[in-house]
Amino acid sequence: FTPTLVSTGGGTCTYTLQQGSYTRIGNRVLFNLFVIISNNGLSPGSLTIAGLPIAAATTCSLAVFAQTLGAGVVTQVMAATANASTAIGISQYAAGNAGDINANTLTNTSQFAISGQYIV
């Protein structure tokens, strides 16, 4: 599958790499994705990663690695599947509060590696 960064504010990114792989076993999907941005053209807004191969039946927490985000903006990045969706919500924990990560925190070299499993 091809993961794509999406902002509620609109716009598009160009990528150095968009890679996704998955295996379905019964009602579980196990997956890995890796995205490297080469040009952040997203407008400010909540960030998601679209393109999961099969819609999730429930919300599931995922393992995420992110780097080269805006300096000093985000202290921890979290990800979870969205119920009845093929998108992954990206959240941040900064200054003692959790909330959606904003597309304007991305740089032209931001990277996301996310892996996990979810129920379908």
Side-chain angles (χ1 to χ4, degrees):
F1 68 97
T2 304
T4 304
L5 293 167
V6 177
S7 170
T8 57
T12 59
C13 284
T14 54
Y15 303 91
T16 302
L17 179 68
Q18 289 173 277
Q19 180 180 355
S21 62
Y22 76 98
T23 300
R24 181 177 179 166
I25 302 172
N27 69 344
R28 300 258 178 193
V29 172
L30 295 85
F31 77 96
N32 294 293
L33 69 81
F34 192 41
V35 175
I36 303 173
I37 299 170
S38 61
N39 185 15
N40 177 20
L42 296 173
S43 298
S46 296
L47 184 68
T48 60
I49 298 178
L52 287 176
I54 303 166
T58 62
T59 300
C60 294
S61 297
L62 305 170
V64 61
F65 170 79
Q67 68 177 8
T68 60
L69 300 174
V73 177
V74 177
T75 55
Q76 180 180 353
V77 177
M78 302 168 287
T81 58
N83 189 24
S85 175
T86 58
I88 296 171
I90 307 294
S91 302
Q92 66 179 342
Y93 186 80
N97 294 302
D100 292 340
I101 196 167
N102 198 303
N104 64 356
T105 63
L106 302 178
T107 68
N108 288 332
T109 57
S110 292
Q111 301 178 25
F112 289 94
I114 300 175
S115 63
Q117 62 176 324
Y118 61 93
I119 298 170
V120 295

